[in-house]
Amino acid sequence: MGLDQSAGKWMQMEWSHLKDDKGKPKTYEDFGPYSWRKHARLHMFMQEVYHRQHQDAEPEEVHHFTEVTLDKEDVNRLQEAIDTSYIEYFCDGGFFWGHQFQEEAVKEYADLDKQFCDWADKELDNGNEVIYSCSW
């Protein structure tokens, strides 16, 4: 149990070990390619983005498979948040979110967060949608 987070886009994936009747790998839809586990401050950031987009939403509405669509401004803000160790996105609760070790998660995921921002910028420049989702 706990906060599982993904970001990216819906992609067609292949099961390398499962083949169809023609010997081709079976495919399935999956979401990615980025994932985190209990990155509480990233989730706090994404909640803020969601609430800017949906001002009538309940405070805890970013949960189980809610999709948050990001634009260039959001990615720029995320980069700023990463550069400041998410100082404005302190998580004061959420037992299953890993708030107890959020400072460690910020350090552990810093490189992945930056890679995601670089990837998201390129995807948005190419006209593609970039989405964040989570479950716990």
Side-chain angles (χ1 to χ4, degrees):
M1 284 184 95
L3 179 61
D4 292 310
Q5 302 149 275
S6 298
K9 60 184 178 180
W10 287 103
M11 302 180 298
Q12 194 73 12
M13 307 294 284
E14 291 185 352
W15 291 104
S16 59
H17 61 287
L18 295 177
K19 309 289 184 194
D20 65 15
D21 57 354
K22 295 180 182 175
K24 293 182 180 180
K26 288 190 176 185
T27 61
Y28 64 99
E29 287 278 310
D30 200 4
F31 189 73
Y34 293 90
S35 62
W36 299 264
R37 175 96 174 128
K38 295 188 177 187
H39 191 347
R41 290 190 184 179
L42 173 63
H43 188 65
M44 297 300 294
F45 174 87
M46 295 298 180
Q47 278 193 326
E48 181 181 285
V49 171
Y50 184 82
H51 288 289
R52 244 189 353 268
Q53 296 170 351
H54 306 279
Q55 295 172 354
D56 59 337
E58 294 297 319
E60 296 293 321
E61 197 163 312
V62 181
H63 54 76
H64 301 291
F65 308 110
T66 299
E67 292 184 357
V68 179
T69 303
L70 303 176
D71 62 21
K72 290 286 267 186
E73 184 179 332
D74 298 324
V75 175
N76 291 337
R77 271 197 283 251
L78 178 57
Q79 186 62 58
E80 290 172 12
I82 295 164
D83 291 343
T84 61
S85 298
Y86 295 89
I87 197 73
E88 295 181 25
Y89 300 96
F90 180 78
C91 179
D92 62 0
F95 177 75
F96 296 111
W97 296 5
H99 74 284
Q100 311 90 322
F101 48 86
Q102 61 188 290
E103 291 84 4
E104 292 86 351
V106 167
K107 292 176 188 170
E108 176 183 338
Y109 287 122
D111 288 340
L112 182 63
D113 293 353
K114 291 174 186 174
Q115 289 171 18
F116 169 68
C117 286
D118 291 342
W119 177 87
D121 268 337
K122 290 175 187 166
E123 289 295 315
L124 291 167
D125 286 344
N126 290 327
N128 296 320
E129 191 173 55
V130 175
I131 301 167
Y132 167 87
S133 184
C134 69
S135 66
W136 67 83

